[in-house]
Amino acid sequence: MSALEVFGGGVAVITGAGAGIGAGLARHAHRLGMSLVLADVDAAAVALLRDEVIAAGGSAVDVVCDVRDPEAVAELAERTYRDIGPVRLLVNNAGVEQFGYLWDTPVSNWNRVMDINVSGVFHGVRAFLPKMLAEPSQSWVWNLSSIGGVAAVPLQAPYIISKHAVLALTECLRLEVQLAGHDDHVHVQAVLPGAVKSNIFEAAGGVDADSAGTAVSAAESQREAMLDIKAAAMDPVEAAEVVFEQAAEGAFYLLTQPEYVSTAMADRAQVLTTQVPPQLRTTQRFDPDKH
């Protein structure tokens, strides 16, 4: 079946919808005729996207929601089911980056990455999934991991760790939905984007201002390297189209650039199979999902 046949006419809830791949997923969901619930901490960004969708003849509401707050996410779910209807697609997408040596990472920055990238996904699952399980209609849960979820990358450890965690969470969740006997109508899928254009690098955290010069230099050097990758990154709407089609076909791992991301997955499998420690490669950097 096509993405239009599977998702058209349903309700999509997307966190981190204000920019990057979140906005791309929202724009393509609108093309498919979905009603959108656009959630983000950036009120202006989601309001602009809401107006864009409505001006194009679509249906959208914007909600300011911090996924770190479980009560806020629970209210998002309650409001959606009360005012709009059953959710066909939940996209737990909100995410942030962090650069620098792990030992130079401020505790507050570590907590920010984990609270948004990992706990934010958990809060979305906990708030929405029971309602989705209770509905007889088909529904989908997408959790945004990354190519970084199958790679080891220096100077981005908190982000990489968080995306490994989201991938494991999603794999476990799929098994639990199956174990509970709901996999006939609730479909759990992991999204692993490669390089997709966004402003996540510019907004990424770094090290403390009073850190040693070498620590600051390393963090900023990694930021610049990622910005170089961004220049040739995939358009978010194009990435979204690929993801929707793979999801409609029933894939579990949804890859924006299948060949590129699959290579990273194969490399990871080889490392685990041979048990060779990760090697520092100055000429190759895996680009984590930039959403």
Side-chain angles (χ1 to χ4, degrees):
M1 296 179 70
S2 70
L4 179 61
E5 293 172 307
V6 172
F7 296 104
V11 174
V13 179
I14 304 171
T15 68
I21 195 169
L25 290 167
R27 289 186 171 101
H28 190 63
H30 157 62
R31 291 179 178 179
L32 296 174
M34 302 192 79
S35 297
L36 307 180
V37 178
L38 309 171
D40 204 296
V41 293
D42 188 335
V46 284
L48 282 173
L49 184 55
R50 174 207 63 204
D51 291 345
E52 174 190 323
V53 170
I54 292 174
S59 173
V61 298
D62 57 310
V63 181
V64 177
C65 181
D66 188 339
V67 298
R68 294 174 291 186
D69 182 352
E71 293 183 1
V73 181
E75 173 58 27
L76 175 66
E78 291 294 334
R79 175 179 172 181
T80 299
Y81 275 80
R82 181 186 67 236
D83 299 340
I84 301 175
V87 173
R88 184 169 301 176
L89 174 63
L90 169 65
V91 183
N92 291 307
N93 164 71
V96 294
E97 252 281 17
Q98 171 66 34
F99 296 125
Y101 290 112
L102 188 58
W103 56 86
D104 287 317
T105 299
V107 172
S108 60
N109 289 23
W110 168 270
N111 289 338
R112 175 174 178 258
V113 172
M114 296 303 153
D115 288 347
I116 295 173
N117 294 13
V118 182
S119 294
V121 174
F122 166 67
H123 295 154
V125 168
R126 195 168 188 274
F128 281 89
L129 195 60
K131 299 178 184 300
M132 298 169 84
L133 296 175
E135 291 285 340
S137 55
Q138 299 288 309
S139 60
W140 283 259
V141 177
W142 296 355
N143 295 333
L144 269 286
S145 179
S146 165
I147 189 174
V150 294
V153 182
L155 300 172
Q156 292 175 248
Y159 178 86
I160 297 299
I161 292 164
S162 74
K163 293 305 181 178
H164 277 255
V166 170
L167 183 57
L169 181 158
T170 309
E171 291 170 334
C172 292
L173 181 63
R174 178 182 174 90
L175 294 175
E176 291 183 2
V177 169
Q178 182 178 10
L179 181 64
H182 295 290
D183 58 316
D184 59 332
H185 72 285
V186 177
H187 312 279
V188 177
Q189 295 166 311
V191 184
L192 284 78
V196 177
K197 291 185 186 297
S198 85
N199 63 357
I200 193 172
F201 299 131
E202 292 88 341
V207 298
D208 289 326
D210 59 354
S211 297
T214 53
V216 174
S217 176
E220 290 309 308
S221 175
Q222 186 70 359
R223 188 194 305 272
E224 290 302 318
M226 293 298 101
L227 288 172
D228 288 343
I229 289 176
K230 174 185 173 179
M234 191 176 192
D235 177 80
V237 177
E238 293 179 6
E241 184 175 2
V242 173
V243 168
F244 268 98
E245 289 300 332
Q246 290 176 357
E249 292 168 359
F252 173 71
Y253 299 102
L254 311 179
L255 317 178
T256 58
Q257 296 104 318
E259 183 176 353
Y260 171 48
V261 181
S262 293
T263 297
M265 298 171 83
D267 287 349
R268 178 65 177 172
Q270 179 71 9
V271 166
L272 295 176
T273 301
T274 61
Q275 300 182 39
V276 174
Q279 303 297 310
L280 187 63
R281 292 179 285 181
T282 58
T283 59
Q284 179 179 1
R285 295 180 186 270
F286 285 119
D287 169 43
D289 148 39
K290 298 314 154 201
H291 52 274

